[in-house]
Amino acid sequence: MIGSGLKKFARQNGMKISHGVAYGSFYGYAATFCEGAGWKRIVISTRFSDPAKRDALRTELGKHNLTNLYRVKSLEIVENGIGILFLDNPGAMKKIEAFCQWFFPQLAEYGAAGVDVCCECGVPIQEDGCWKLLYETANHMHLSCAQKLQEQLDAEQAQQKQEETGSYITGLIGALAGAFLGAVVWGLVLHIGFVASIVGFL
């Protein structure tokens, strides 16, 4: 979801709002804004050409008390993106704006790929780019990469559904077999006319 503060901020920066998030090119990077109870979040879909520079960015950020300065609750840099979580309390939007003005201009120095680079394959996007929303994060990529990714996701979901269905059927067969064996044992016991606690155990 996204509230009025982030919506206004997103519109001022030419971003789109859809499916409960704001997304688009922000300071030249593929960014997504969203929020929940007590927090606001910015996710940057990017790639680092040099892992050493990515580590250097982590080191540089570690020199600053981002919580006191900008109300940053957590900041995570991974191979394919950056996630920044902010504490949402009165005055949070001003802190977020100040953080963006300080943080985003540094990304190019540390080799973070901009919005014109496909976040899936790492190749520059010409005229065949599209936005793909995955897990509340907008990714800018080639149309062919988006189609390939969607096919992979569909295949994974189909596989998961098949596994779940298989486990249900196996469980049903097991339950029926157990009930049948129990009925056979009780049938034999009642036929003989002898009832003992050991039958319950069986």
Side-chain angles (χ1 to χ4, degrees), residues 120 147-157:
E120 182 68 13
Q147 292 172 341
K148 182 178 179 181
L149 183 60
Q150 187 61 55
E151 290 172 1
Q152 292 175 351
L153 292 174
D154 291 343
E156 290 175 2
Q157 290 177 354

Side-chain angles (χ1 to χ4, degrees), residues 21-32:
V21 302
Y23 67 93
S25 178
F26 182 68
Y27 281 87
Y29 292 89
T32 308

Side-chain angles (χ1 to χ4, degrees), residues 2 6-8 10-11 15-23:
I2 186 169
L6 273 182
K7 281 183 180 178
K8 181 180 179 181
R11 290 192 178 109
M15 302 177 76
K16 298 179 181 179
I17 299 172
S18 178
H19 295 85
V21 302
Y23 67 93

Side-chain angles (χ1 to χ4, degrees), residues 4-116:
S4 58
L6 273 182
K7 281 183 180 178
K8 181 180 179 181
F9 186 49
R11 290 192 178 109
Q12 288 173 346
N13 287 278
M15 302 177 76
K16 298 179 181 179
I17 299 172
S18 178
H19 295 85
V21 302
Y23 67 93
S25 178
F26 182 68
Y27 281 87
Y29 292 89
T32 308
F33 301 161
C34 63
E35 64 184 291
W39 57 268
K40 296 182 187 295
R41 184 174 65 210
I42 298 176
V43 177
I44 307 162
S45 298
T46 185
R47 299 167 68 96
F48 289 86
S49 56
D50 185 354
K53 287 188 175 182
R54 183 182 63 205
D55 294 339
L57 177 58
R58 288 195 186 103
T59 301
E60 176 60 29
L61 294 173
K63 297 176 182 178
H64 305 274
N65 190 330
L66 299 180
T67 301
N68 286 346
L69 290 171
Y70 305 111
R71 300 184 188 173
V72 173
K73 185 176 182 181
S74 65
L75 192 153
E76 185 178 8
I77 302 174
V78 295
E79 184 178 355
N80 61 348
I82 303 171
I84 309 111
L85 191 68
F86 298 89
L87 295 169
D88 189 11
N89 43 36
M93 281 308 307
K94 289 184 178 180
K95 294 291 185 179
I96 292 173
E97 291 180 33
F99 172 83
C100 291
Q101 292 170 2
W102 169 77
F103 177 71
F104 276 85
Q106 300 182 66
L107 292 178
E109 178 184 348
Y110 292 97
V115 69
D116 57 343

